[in-house]
Amino acid sequence: MRVMGVDPGLTRCGLGAVEGRPGAPLSLLSVGVVRTPADDDIGSRLVVIEAEIERWLDEIRPDAVAVERVFAQHNVRTVMGTAQASAVAIVCAARRGLPVALHTPSEVKAAITGNGNADKKQVGTMVTRLLRLDAMPKPADAADALALAICHVWRGGVQHRLADALARARSGGAGPAGSGRTGRPGEVAAGRPDRGGSTR
């Protein structure tokens, strides 16, 4: 299962993609962050985020997209920006017919670390260990995007298999959409992340 994770935000939108299945080692496909200037107007910033997400979807060709579920915070302005970036990611995936999963921060933390109240450093440390990386992905938004993708591989595996079976039944036994792909994308993230998990 190939999953693209999106940690939504206007100033920094984390993107990460992994491949694997429950109970087996995971592989990093790519990781990075889309950045937009805080003094740009909202429309321009969302267009930049949309363009990068579309480019990632073209390169990664994921089976599903996992987006952090927006939750209430004291800073309404931050919540609004996060929700707007989240909506862009959802629309981009839906436009291609890709399933979208929304995971809460505590759900992701619990899946990755076993503790729903883990801090960002603990999440980053576990992401580094699970993907066998030499260094922790930075900034934290990048690590969070990978954590979302990992969480969905683990928790969405059953639903994915059911969807595949249904798709095969409807198509008379043909493989699920997206099968038969070969190779992996190279550098695809804004900021030119490398395959080793670092962001240059």
Side-chain angles (χ1 to χ4, degrees), residues 157-177:
V158 174
Q159 292 89 336
H160 182 68
R161 288 194 294 274
L162 289 173
D164 279 353
L166 181 59
R168 285 194 295 273
R170 287 177 175 171
S171 63

Coordinates of all heavy atoms in Angstrom, one line a residue, residues 157-177:
G157 N -5.1 -0.7 6.4 CA -4.8 -1.9 5.6 C -6.0 -2.8 5.4 O -6.2 -3.2 4.2
V158 N -6.8 -3.0 6.4 CA -8.0 -3.9 6.2 C -9.0 -3.2 5.3 O -9.5 -3.9 4.3 CB -8.7 -4.1 7.6 CG1 -10.0 -4.8 7.4 CG2 -7.7 -4.9 8.5
Q159 N -9.2 -1.9 5.5 CA -10.2 -1.2 4.6 C -9.7 -1.2 3.1 O -10.4 -1.4 2.2 CB -10.4 0.2 5.0 CG -11.1 0.4 6.4 CD -10.2 0.3 7.6 OE1 -9.1 -0.2 7.5 NE2 -10.6 0.9 8.7
H160 N -8.3 -1.1 3.0 CA -7.8 -1.1 1.6 C -8.0 -2.4 0.9 O -8.3 -2.5 -0.2 CB -6.3 -0.8 1.7 CG -5.6 -0.7 0.4 ND1 -5.8 0.3 -0.5 CD2 -4.6 -1.5 -0.2 CE1 -5.1 0.1 -1.6 NE2 -4.4 -0.9 -1.4
R161 N -7.7 -3.5 1.7 CA -7.9 -4.9 1.1 C -9.4 -5.1 0.7 O -9.7 -5.7 -0.3 CB -7.4 -5.9 2.1 CG -5.9 -6.0 2.2 CD -5.5 -7.2 2.9 NE -5.9 -7.3 4.3 CZ -5.2 -6.7 5.3 NH1 -4.1 -6.1 5.1 NH2 -5.7 -6.8 6.5
L162 N -10.3 -4.6 1.5 CA -11.7 -4.8 1.2 C -12.1 -4.0 0.0 O -12.8 -4.4 -0.9 CB -12.6 -4.3 2.4 CG -12.6 -5.2 3.6 CD1 -13.3 -4.5 4.8 CD2 -13.2 -6.5 3.3
A163 N -11.5 -2.8 -0.1 CA -11.8 -1.9 -1.3 C -11.2 -2.6 -2.6 O -11.8 -2.6 -3.6 CB -11.2 -0.6 -1.1
D164 N -10.0 -3.2 -2.5 CA -9.4 -3.9 -3.6 C -10.3 -5.1 -4.0 O -10.5 -5.3 -5.2 CB -8.0 -4.4 -3.2 CG -7.0 -3.3 -3.4 OD1 -7.3 -2.2 -3.8 OD2 -5.8 -3.6 -3.0
A165 N -10.8 -5.8 -3.1 CA -11.6 -7.0 -3.4 C -12.9 -6.5 -4.1 O -13.4 -7.2 -5.0 CB -12.0 -7.8 -2.1
L166 N -13.5 -5.4 -3.6 CA -14.7 -4.9 -4.2 C -14.4 -4.4 -5.6 O -15.2 -4.7 -6.5 CB -15.3 -3.8 -3.3 CG -16.6 -3.1 -3.8 CD1 -17.7 -4.2 -3.9 CD2 -17.0 -2.0 -2.9
A167 N -13.3 -3.8 -5.8 CA -12.9 -3.3 -7.1 C -12.8 -4.4 -8.1 O -13.2 -4.4 -9.3 CB -11.7 -2.4 -7.1
R168 N -12.1 -5.5 -7.7 CA -11.9 -6.7 -8.5 C -13.2 -7.3 -8.9 O -13.4 -7.8 -10.0 CB -11.0 -7.7 -7.8 CG -9.5 -7.2 -7.9 CD -8.6 -8.4 -7.5 NE -8.8 -8.9 -6.1 CZ -8.2 -8.3 -5.1 NH1 -7.3 -7.4 -5.2 NH2 -8.5 -8.8 -3.8
A169 N -14.1 -7.4 -7.9 CA -15.4 -8.0 -8.2 C -16.2 -7.2 -9.2 O -16.9 -7.8 -10.1 CB -16.2 -8.1 -6.9
R170 N -16.1 -5.9 -9.1 CA -16.9 -5.0 -10.0 C -16.3 -5.1 -11.4 O -17.0 -4.9 -12.4 CB -16.9 -3.6 -9.5 CG -17.8 -3.4 -8.3 CD -17.7 -2.0 -7.8 NE -18.6 -1.8 -6.7 CZ -18.6 -0.7 -5.9 NH1 -17.8 0.3 -6.2 NH2 -19.5 -0.5 -5.0
S171 N -15.0 -5.3 -11.5 CA -14.3 -5.3 -12.8 C -14.1 -6.7 -13.4 O -13.5 -6.9 -14.4 CB -13.0 -4.6 -12.7 OG -12.1 -5.3 -11.9
G172 N -14.7 -7.7 -12.8 CA -14.7 -9.0 -13.3 C -13.3 -9.7 -13.0 O -12.9 -10.6 -13.8
G173 N -12.6 -9.3 -11.9 CA -11.4 -10.0 -11.6 C -10.1 -9.2 -11.9 O -9.0 -9.7 -11.6
A174 N -10.2 -8.1 -12.6 CA -9.0 -7.3 -12.9 C -8.4 -6.7 -11.6 O -9.1 -6.6 -10.6 CB -9.4 -6.2 -13.9
G175 N -7.2 -6.4 -11.7 CA -6.5 -5.9 -10.5 C -7.0 -4.5 -10.2 O -7.6 -3.8 -11.0
P176 N -6.7 -4.0 -9.0 CA -7.2 -2.7 -8.6 C -6.5 -1.6 -9.3 O -5.4 -1.8 -9.9 CB -6.8 -2.7 -7.1 CG -5.6 -3.6 -7.0 CD -5.9 -4.7 -8.0
A177 N -7.2 -0.5 -9.4 CA -6.6 0.7 -10.1 C -5.2 1.0 -9.4 O -5.1 1.0 -8.2 CB -7.5 1.9 -10.0

